[in-house]
Amino acid sequence: MQLILASQSPRRRELLGLIVPDFCVCPAEIEEELIPGADLGAEVARLAAGKARVVADTHPQAAVIGSDTLVVCDGQALGKPKDADDAYRMLSLLSGRSHEVMTGLALWVPGQTMRTDTIVTQVRFAALGEGEIKAYIASGEPMDKAGAYGIQGLGARFIEGIEGDYYSVMGLPVRRLYERLRETGLA
C-alpha cells in the first residue's frame, strides 16, 4: 500500500525516513485556524487529521500521515510567526521559562478509522538577551517554525532541557508513528 506524508516539512520527511524507506510526499492545503476556546491538544490532533483527510480524498487507496505542531505557553498557542516582530514577541515570552510543544499525529488507512494522537513535550528555555533574540531572528530560522524556534537547528542553543519526545518537538513523533504503522501492518 502506498504511504503518503501530508506535509511539505523537510524535517517531517527526514523523520519519516527513519521509520520507512518508501513513501511519497503530498502537502495538504487546509485552513489551520484554531477553534477559539477549544482544548489545544484536541485542536492539534484535529488539524493533523484534517491534513490526512484532504490528501486521502485525492488518494483513496493510500495510507496517509498528517501532523501538526503547536507551541503552548501560559495556555497561549504560538504558531508560526507572521513577521520578525511576532517572532521577537514569541521568543521573549519563552525566554527563561518552560512551555509545552503539542504535536498532533493522524494516520488514515483505507477501510479503517482515522487514528489520532497528541504528544505533549515540556521544553525549558534559557533566559535570552535582546541581542540573542535579534541575531536568531536575523538568521531566518524562526520564521517557519511553531513558537519561532527550531530545536534541531540554531535554536538548540536556547534549550536547557526537555521532558518527553524530542522528535515530537521537531514535528513528527517517531516512536508513536512507528507503533501506529506496526498496528496497521505498514511497518
Side-chain angles (χ1 to χ4, degrees):
M1 177 178 302
Q2 182 183 28
L3 182 63
I4 299 175
L5 175 63
S7 175
Q8 62 188 359
S9 165
R11 292 166 303 285
R12 289 188 178 121
R13 185 176 310 144
E14 176 187 341
L15 293 175
L16 182 55
L18 297 174
I19 305 171
V20 294
D22 189 25
F23 61 92
C24 298
V25 174
C26 182
E29 299 294 326
I30 69 165
E31 190 65 39
E32 295 190 41
E33 294 293 319
L34 299 173
I35 297 170
D39 176 79
L40 294 174
E43 281 295 281
V44 77
R46 179 184 64 80
L47 292 172
K51 291 175 183 181
R53 199 169 286 114
V54 164
V55 172
D57 286 348
T58 58
H59 299 82
Q61 300 305 312
V64 182
I65 299 163
S67 189
D68 197 75
T69 302
L70 281 177
V71 171
V72 179
C73 187
D74 293 338
Q76 177 185 359
L78 306 177
K80 295 176 184 174
K82 296 173 182 63
D83 55 28
D85 289 339
D86 197 30
Y88 187 89
R89 177 189 65 81
M90 290 182 192
L91 291 165
S92 296
L93 178 66
L94 298 175
S95 175
R97 306 180 66 200
S98 291
H99 62 275
E100 295 179 323
V101 177
M102 296 181 178
T103 297
L105 175 66
L107 176 61
W108 166 256
V109 178
Q112 299 181 24
T113 59
M114 180 81 71
R115 297 165 193 257
T116 61
D117 295 284
T118 299
I119 293 79
V120 180
T121 302
Q122 302 292 322
V123 180
R124 279 189 324 280
F125 245 53
L128 307 178
E130 182 178 339
E132 285 179 294
I133 294 173
K134 287 182 177 180
Y136 183 52
I137 293 168
S139 77
E141 184 177 274
M143 302 316 295
D144 70 338
K145 313 249 184 330
Y149 75 92
I151 194 169
Q152 74 286 355
L154 298 174
R157 60 188 163 190
F158 306 138
I159 308 301
E160 288 188 335
I162 70 168
E163 193 174 313
D165 184 345
Y166 172 81
Y167 297 109
S168 181
V169 178
M170 281 181 66
L172 193 69
V174 173
R175 178 64 192 169
R176 181 66 56 92
L177 178 55
Y178 177 65
E179 290 169 352
R180 290 295 190 192
L181 291 171
R182 280 184 39 219
E183 290 169 6
T184 58
L186 295 170

